Amino acid sequence: MAVSQEMLAELRSEGEDLDLSWLDAPAAERGLRIAPGKRGLTLEEISTGTYGDIPMQSRNQSGRMRGAAPRGDAQQTQQMWPFRSSSWSQSAMLLYEEAVQRQWSSATDVPWAELPDLPEDLEYAMSQLCTFLTQVEFIAGDVPGQYAPNVSGEFFEVGLFLASQIMDEARHLDVFRKRALVNGIGLLQAGPGAVNLLTAQDFTEMASTLHLVGEGFVQSLFRMGEMFAQTEVDKRMFRLAAQDESRHVAFGVMHMKYVMETEPERRDEIHCYLDRMEGLLGAGSAQAGLTGGGETTEALAILLGGGSTEAQINEGYMKLMAIRKRQVNEYMHRLDVVGLGDRRQKMHPMMQMLLDPSKN
Amino acid sequence: MAENDAPAAPAEAPQRPQIPGVIAPPAPDLKWMNAATERPPRVRELGPEGFTLAMADYGSYGLAPDIWPYENDTPRGAVPARDRGLPAPYTIYDKLDVWAESCAELYEAAIREQWKPATEISWSGIEPLAEHVEASLDQIYSNISEQAYNSNAVLLGWLQYISYGFHEVKLYLATQSFDHARHVEAFRKRALANGGGLGVQSPGFFNRTVFASFKFTEFVIYNNIIRTTFLLGLCEFGQEKLARSQADRQLFENTANDLRRHLVYGVEHLRYYGLQAGEQKRRNIRTWLDRGEVMLAADLKRDKPFREAVILASGDTVAAGKEALKDLRQRQFKRYIGALEAAAYRGREAHMVPTLKEMIETP
Ligand SMILES: [Fe+2]
Ligand SMILES: [Fe+2]
């Protein structure tokens, strides 16, 4: 649908120096009229016609957005990944829109003023747990951030999702920092942290190590926040954070599922990433043992046991084992979903022990 | 923040609960309960803005040092681990390379002011427009969307270089990138919603310049000063001269509001850099401004579809549209020079590169 010739003639007679070729013969699809649906005007709704053709491969190395008209003189950057499978996740649009709708504020959506005074050992334990979390949370922002420059406008929904994840991780660093500081204790002992996740050299490696394993384990932990949160304030904080983590994990799961479906030859390669994350390469791994370093484990045991007497800590450790069990089984479930069910036989023996029997 | 030098507790035989096949955890040493960190006051009263980052970062927790000393993800105010593990890829340890005084406030403000393009824009109220007007608006919206995507992609790539200890900067930048992301989708949605489609891509000189920033402050000058002032000028102009519907007005207004925050970060950072950097580094500012202006001018000169779209969308006649385009360039110019002056960088007007001056005077 182009502008009528009469109108063009009229415009040209008014402004003789006007070119208007972009208007006369538009190179991008026109004539779309997209109305908002139940969830508003979403990315999925505008992904229609040629604008919904997500290429398997693209030579677009300029800043051109998918569907826009190209220019012959547009400059190239040669740093965008040409393949859809390099970063695509079927759920990127949905998860991005959900992220926009479900943003929350650590300043006002957590009822800080209602935080009761707790026994000192529990307060210290909470501050220690939150020191660990504030340490690792934004690594989960730095890691996806490093790949954003490689995602071209052809696959821009991935770039948008990454921005939403990084926004979420900012809020996570921030909410746990605030929790450590609100109660008069402050931050305590930092651990070895999560810098290793930044070594990922490939987007699918990141989805395997960060989304599927790292954030997956954190999501299970947050979802069991009811067990170790001592107050309604803390329960709310973990519930809100868990909601965000679910999106990050879902993005990674759907990316890996896509890769397994379209590039099944990458199976062994992906197992190698998981070997590393599970600690099978010999280096210690937080995931195979207990999340975080010694101090965080102790803090969790105190919170789970309700205090720091020997009996309480022992009880805390027993509950912690239940959390580990759930983390590992939820991890196995994600592996089944992406098509890596054979991981069951390859998993680190320490984790394998915690697996429920296979349903099939 | 002294390192916790207390000797490690001797390893003990496992005596914790036994689960068959699972190594029992060692006896707790609870040394972390004595971590030598600052005890802030217990927070009991909160204002209408809730528990803000600036409030939480009490005392030493709020002090970003001139040089951040740790190479990993040690949070500011915690005792660093004895075994710090792998140093991160961070390369920016000097506060002057990233700092802006009100990062913590800008971060909270950004969260308070977040808007939701899918549901908070009056999409249903957009009326069909004359073909050439709709196409012109779409050309302008495509351009804004494309620029925002470039900003988002490049900004996110910088996070991996900024030390963990400057957390308020990283947090603020996360909000800025999420703003860019929403600008990408909001304007794309508008371009596709009303019988139109996307327009022609930009020539891309400025996109590639943003990509090619070697220094973070250089990126901030291109993105948060030059691009942001020109986009802000466009949005302010758009609210008055381009918008045809409530949705159009909301898009321009909300985006302008976000861009003003980005500009505060840019201005404050440039001022801080200008004041703190020595003579050698301060000279970089001029080099970066020269380079940014040249590349912007190249885009403006070659982007015929954009220029013609502004002319067609903002005037009842072509002549009126041409006047409006001049008005747009003047607003953008004023925004730009005003930002530099606010950053205590004066006299640029006289030194602006000739090609940009030309594009402003005779667009
Ligand atoms: Fe997180
Ligand atoms: Fe996450």
Side-chain angles (χ1 to χ4, degrees), chain B residues 48-353:
Chain B
E49 290 179 354
F51 188 33
T52 62
L53 184 59
M55 261 179 98
D57 271 346
Y58 174 88
S60 61
Y61 292 103
L63 296 178
D66 287 342
I67 297 172
W68 177 250
Y70 305 118
E71 294 179 295
N72 73 340
D73 46 3
T74 301
R76 194 166 80 220
V79 174
R82 285 174 67 86
D83 175 12
R84 275 170 227 159
L86 191 66
Y90 304 137
T91 54
I92 297 176
Y93 292 94
D94 290 353
K95 184 177 177 177
L96 78 91
D97 288 326
V98 289
W99 194 250
E101 217 49 65
S102 51
C103 277
E105 285 84 7
L106 289 171
Y107 167 70
E108 298 283 3
I111 290 174
R112 278 195 300 278
E113 294 166 12
Q114 269 168 8
W115 51 287
K116 305 177 194 312
T119 50
E120 292 176 2
I121 298 296
S122 310
W123 299 115
S124 312
I126 309 176
E127 301 283 341
L129 296 169
E131 281 277 343
H132 69 287
V133 174
E134 178 62 35
S136 299
L137 289 177
D138 296 343
Q139 176 61 46
I140 296 165
Y141 296 145
S142 302
N143 179 278
I144 300 175
S145 180
E146 180 192 306
Q147 291 199 55
Y149 191 69
N150 174 255
S151 294
N152 180 56
V154 182
L155 172 54
L156 289 182
W158 274 100
L159 292 173
Q160 62 178 317
Y161 301 118
I162 301 172
S163 298
Y164 213 74
F166 300 126
H167 61 261
E168 50 279 82
V169 175
K170 291 174 88 96
L171 299 192
Y172 163 71
L173 293 175
T175 68
Q176 185 180 312
S177 113
F178 192 47
D179 290 341
H180 291 317
R182 283 171 301 120
H183 301 166
V184 172
E185 45 118 348
F187 285 99
R188 184 180 178 93
K189 285 171 178 173
R190 173 61 189 84
L192 301 186
N194 196 35
L198 292 183
V200 186
Q201 72 174 130
S202 84
F205 285 95
F206 205 75
N207 284 344
R208 79 176 298 286
T209 305
V210 172
F211 254 117
S213 312
F214 294 139
K215 301 290 179 189
F216 186 71
T217 301
E218 182 184 5
F219 166 79
V220 171
I221 284 181
Y222 299 152
N223 193 66
N224 285 52
I225 301 278
I226 300 180
R227 172 176 278 166
T228 298
T229 51
F230 275 71
L231 273 178
L232 180 55
L234 174 60
C235 287
E236 288 168 345
F237 170 87
Q239 262 177 277
E240 282 177 43
K241 302 275 176 72
L242 297 172
R244 298 294 200 281
S245 62
Q246 175 69 357
D248 293 338
R249 277 184 290 276
Q250 289 166 328
L251 287 171
F252 284 129
E253 188 180 337
N254 293 349
T255 303
N257 191 50
D258 295 338
L259 292 171
R260 285 186 200 107
R261 235 183 291 110
H262 306 177
L263 188 55
V264 172
Y265 174 77
V267 164
E268 284 190 2
H269 173 59
L270 183 57
R271 188 166 53 208
Y272 191 82
Y273 183 91
L275 290 172
Q276 301 291 321
E279 186 52 34
Q280 282 297 320
K281 282 187 99 166
R282 207 170 12 241
R283 280 192 213 139
N284 294 337
I285 297 175
R286 182 172 178 168
T287 309
W288 292 328
L289 289 174
D290 285 349
R291 183 169 153 73
E293 287 176 9
V294 165
M295 296 302 171
L296 176 68
D299 266 353
L300 299 186
K301 196 173 175 69
R302 293 184 188 216
D303 204 342
K304 204 179 272 176
F306 181 87
R307 272 202 319 275
E308 294 187 349
V310 171
I311 292 170
L312 300 191
S314 58
D316 289 334
T317 62
V318 169
K322 284 181 175 173
E323 280 309 306
L325 177 61
K326 274 188 192 159
D327 174 34
L328 166 66
R329 293 299 184 230
Q330 281 303 319
R331 289 175 193 238
Q332 290 174 316
F333 168 73
K334 280 188 189 132
R335 271 286 180 194
Y336 173 52
I337 294 297
L340 290 177
E341 283 178 357
Y345 192 87
R346 299 203 172 81
R348 184 66 191 171
E349 200 172 341
H351 295 101
M352 190 184 251
V353 300

Side-chain angles (χ1 to χ4, degrees), chain A residues 334-353:
Chain A
R334 289 190 292 278
L335 290 163
D336 282 329
V337 170
V338 304
L340 285 165
D342 57 332
R343 188 74 200 161
R344 182 174 281 273
Q345 287 77 42
K346 300 179 178 186
M347 200 178 280
H348 193 297
M350 293 287 292
M351 294 168 84
Q352 231 171 35
M353 260 177 264

Side-chain angles (χ1 to χ4, degrees), chain A residues 2 12 50 59 81 121 152 210 240-241 251 254 320 324:
Chain A
R12 283 193 174 115
T50 54
R59 293 176 64 87
W81 292 325
D121 53 354
S152 88
L210 176 71
L240 287 167
F251 174 88
M254 293 305 283
L320 194 50
R324 299 301 166 213

Side-chain angles (χ1 to χ4, degrees), chain A residues 79-257:
Chain A
Q79 56 180 311
M80 318 279 185
W81 292 325
F83 302 109
R84 171 170 164 175
S85 61
S86 298
S87 66
W88 190 249
S89 175
Q90 209 56 55
S91 56
M93 298 183 205
L94 183 84
L95 292 168
Y96 168 78
E97 292 287 1
E98 192 185 304
V100 172
Q101 292 300 325
R102 302 186 95 173
Q103 290 296 301
W104 49 281
S105 158
S106 70
T108 52
D109 290 330
V110 176
W112 300 108
E114 293 163 25
L115 193 69
D117 287 318
L118 295 173
E120 204 172 50
D121 53 354
L122 292 174
E123 281 295 10
Y124 268 88
M126 193 63 190
S127 273
Q128 179 56 47
L129 174 62
C130 288
T131 301
F132 161 74
L133 291 171
T134 209
Q135 173 164 14
V136 300
E137 280 291 350
F138 206 76
I139 292 295
D142 290 338
V143 175
Q146 66 186 329
Y147 296 122
N150 305 119
V151 180
S152 88
E154 297 290 337
F155 314 110
F156 73 93
E157 290 94 337
V158 171
L160 302 194
F161 172 80
L162 296 181
S164 79
Q165 166 164 355
I166 290 158
M167 180 63 241
D168 293 342
E169 305 302 1
R171 209 168 42 246
H172 296 173
L173 179 157
D174 158 58
V175 77
F176 296 122
R177 185 173 178 89
K178 285 175 176 172
R179 179 61 187 88
L181 287 159
V182 73
N183 61 2
I185 306 290
L187 296 178
L188 296 173
Q189 176 67 52
V195 168
N196 274 300
L197 288 166
L198 278 158
T199 63
Q201 295 297 302
D202 171 276
F203 196 89
T204 304
E205 179 186 2
M206 168 182 76
S208 315
T209 56
L210 176 71
H211 291 124
L212 202 77
V213 182
E215 297 186 279
F217 275 63
V218 165
Q219 180 206 23
S220 302
L221 180 73
F222 289 174
R223 285 215 299 228
M224 295 181 89
E226 304 279 331
M227 282 176 73
F228 51 87
Q230 308 292 316
T231 67
E232 285 308 312
V233 173
D234 296 332
K235 283 179 191 165
R236 177 151 177 82
M237 176 175 75
F238 287 116
R239 263 200 303 270
L240 287 167
Q243 207 179 77
D244 298 339
E245 294 304 348
S246 305
R247 286 194 299 274
H248 311 164
V249 173
F251 174 88
V253 163
M254 293 305 283
H255 168 71
M256 292 186 67
K257 188 165 187 281

